[in-house]
Amino acid sequence: MTWRSARLRILLLVMVGTIINYIARNSLGVLAPQLKADLAITTEQYSYIVGAFQLAYTLMQPIGGMLIDKIGLTAGFALFALAWSLANMAHGAARGWLSLAAFRGMLGMAEAAAIPAGMKTIGEWFPDRERSVAVGWFNAGTSLGAVIAPVLAAVVAKVYGWQAAFVVTGALGVLFAAAWYKFYRSPGDASYVTSQELAEIREGQRPVEASATTLGAIAKTKRFWAIAVPRFLAEPAWQTFSFWIPLYLAKERGMDITQIALFAWVPFLAADAGGILGGYLAPFLQRWRGLSLEGSRIAGISLGAVMMIAPGCVGLVASPYAAIALLSLGGFAHQIISVLINTLSADVFPKGDIAKANGLVGMAGWTGGLLFSLAIGQLADRIGYAPLFACLGAFDLIGAVWLFAMRRHLILQKA
């Protein structure tokens, strides 16, 4: 892949969409302390607001993926991007926790198609050997959006109010929707891809067994459950980082909105590095240890799971800066896991099923995130955040063991 290749330009375009998607969804976290005060929202009610987004996102992911597979990426992703933009801007009209939860639910429904659409894009445009690297850079968009969101939302909120922060972060998606619809085409339909590059893409993609065509058929396969269970156990960490770190820093570490804006983005910057490294880690392990394509993904996930012990130890440190450092290591580790689990869904399912299969795997993950967020809402004021962060350190280890047990016969198989 060269700097002039069409697939690199497509990767940059889908990264921009992911960045804007995560700016919209992560703005709530940094504004949460101000929203709680202005709208008289309790911690428990805030968990319901977060839960509304998570529930809608969870249920909509396979449906969004199925729609993307059916109507195509060009129109499908543009429509979903426009919808999430309007939903996010509507947050500024909230007058209490119920209306805010309703708008969050709308946002969750619209944003649910973003990752399935991104994975389908990569599945269409990238040879197998480049796929994990492409997913690493694509996934970096999630973290970069989460880096930008606290700063952008906090600055706009301080100058113009929290209502304006939602409008500004939402409006970015309108611009992306127009750009995506104008420029994105599948490799065989794109005028900007050369015949040489098109042949390279097609020859570099191994055949995958025939399309399962339905969500039910995908859910009955062993390969789906091999990936879905680790994703269920991994996602609570990312949901906690995205929606609860600002409140944790405010409540347990005594930070105000300015300090949160200065520090809440650091774990996501580390996550960017982890996501990019995770993409390169798999091909490195293939070369260094002679692992199969799939085995290299599993080995990288296992390494990330061991590193997730770090955020589990947040309650053991007194310094807020040490806590941020441990959370940053957790963000780094989680994105290694996330990149490689997402890549597996593109590896083991055919192109015609990638979006809906990834959406179904994502549904499993977001179910875990939703349940854990609700648990935080019920328990954080009673027992504190430390025991809850400790759980995150154990979940990924269990997921890695499950994945290894389910797919161990493929780890040493040559690619």
Side-chain angles (χ1 to χ4, degrees):
M1 182 168 58
T2 68
W3 288 106
R4 294 185 177 182
S5 67
R7 60 188 185 274
L8 178 60
R9 295 196 293 272
I10 291 296
L11 179 59
L12 292 174
L13 180 62
V14 78
M15 274 185 67
V16 169
T18 311
I19 290 168
I20 291 172
N21 181 281
Y22 270 74
I23 288 174
R25 78 174 63 178
N26 280 58
S27 297
L28 177 71
V30 72
L31 299 172
Q34 189 173 350
L35 289 168
K36 287 184 68 180
D38 289 358
L39 301 180
I41 296 171
T42 67
T43 300
E44 183 176 346
Q45 289 169 341
Y46 178 73
S47 75
Y48 298 149
I49 295 166
V50 171
F53 176 90
Q54 292 171 310
L55 179 61
Y57 195 103
T58 299
L59 296 175
M60 192 64 185
Q61 274 196 92
I63 298 171
M66 185 170 61
L67 289 172
I68 292 290
D69 279 335
K70 186 173 181 62
I71 67 178
L73 276 164
T74 302
F77 199 10
L79 287 171
F80 276 105
L82 181 61
W84 89 54
S85 303
L86 297 175
N88 195 74
M89 289 188 282
H91 284 45
R95 293 297 178 264
W97 80 268
L98 280 172
S99 56
L100 188 55
F103 293 135
R104 284 308 278 184
M106 295 176 193
L107 181 67
M109 290 179 66
E111 288 203 333
I115 301 302
M119 290 308 304
K120 185 175 179 68
T121 302
I122 289 169
E124 286 191 349
W125 274 92
F126 286 85
D128 294 344
R129 69 180 183 277
E130 295 177 353
R131 191 171 288 152
S132 69
V133 174
V135 175
W137 283 100
F138 159 65
N139 226 50
T142 67
S143 305
L144 187 55
V147 168
I148 296 170
V151 179
L152 178 60
V155 170
V156 175
K158 283 187 75 71
V159 178
Y160 299 106
W162 59 264
Q163 294 90 344
F166 284 120
V167 173
V168 170
T169 56
L172 296 174
V174 177
L175 300 177
F176 169 73
W180 180 267
Y181 187 75
K182 179 176 176 60
F183 293 112
Y184 182 81
R185 299 294 182 272
S186 295
D189 300 324
S191 60
Y192 43 80
V193 63
T194 64
S195 57
Q196 180 182 354
E197 184 175 5
L198 184 60
E200 185 180 351
I201 293 168
R202 289 175 173 171
E203 291 168 7
Q205 295 178 339
R206 62 178 182 169
V208 181
E209 61 186 81
S211 174
T213 69
T214 68
L215 294 174
I218 292 170
K220 291 178 181 177
T221 62
K222 187 176 179 180
R223 56 188 166 171
F224 165 74
W225 289 104
I227 302 170
V229 171
R231 181 71 188 274
F232 174 86
L233 293 166
E235 195 63 31
W238 194 242
Q239 303 304 307
T240 302
F241 283 24
S242 296
F243 301 123
W244 291 95
I245 280 183
L247 278 181
Y248 163 73
L249 295 176
K251 186 176 186 298
E252 303 242 338
R253 301 297 178 171
M255 293 186 175
D256 59 25
I257 190 170
T258 301
Q259 292 171 312
I260 290 170
L262 287 173
F263 293 105
W265 57 271
V266 177
F268 298 105
L269 183 63
D272 261 333
I276 294 168
L277 176 65
Y280 288 97
L281 181 60
F284 170 76
L285 290 172
Q286 281 184 270
R287 294 191 301 269
W288 180 49
R289 303 302 299 173
L291 299 178
S292 68
L293 183 76
E294 188 169 336
S296 67
R297 321 296 200 213
I298 295 171
I301 289 167
S302 301
L303 176 62
V306 172
M307 296 172 65
M308 278 299 295
I309 295 171
C313 298
V314 163
L316 302 178
V317 298
S319 167
Y321 306 109
I324 290 168
L326 290 174
L327 292 171
S328 298
L329 185 55
F332 179 87
H334 173 81
Q335 285 301 80
I336 291 177
I337 296 169
S338 179
V339 162
L340 296 177
I341 287 180
N342 273 323
T343 305
L344 276 174
S345 68
D347 288 335
V348 304
F349 290 100
K351 284 188 287 186
D353 284 344
I354 288 176
K356 54 180 170 283
N358 183 264
L360 203 58
V361 171
M363 182 180 183
W366 276 73
T367 299
L370 168 63
L371 294 175
F372 196 72
S373 279
L374 293 175
I376 293 175
Q378 295 295 321
L379 299 173
D381 286 344
R382 303 178 195 174
I383 65 174
Y385 285 83
L388 298 165
F389 279 117
C391 291
L392 301 179
F395 289 163
D396 284 307
L397 290 171
I398 298 169
V401 171
W402 169 274
L403 181 59
F404 178 83
M406 293 286 283
R407 307 292 284 184
R408 63 185 181 276
H409 60 290
L410 294 170
I411 289 178
L412 294 176
Q413 191 180 81
K414 291 294 182 183

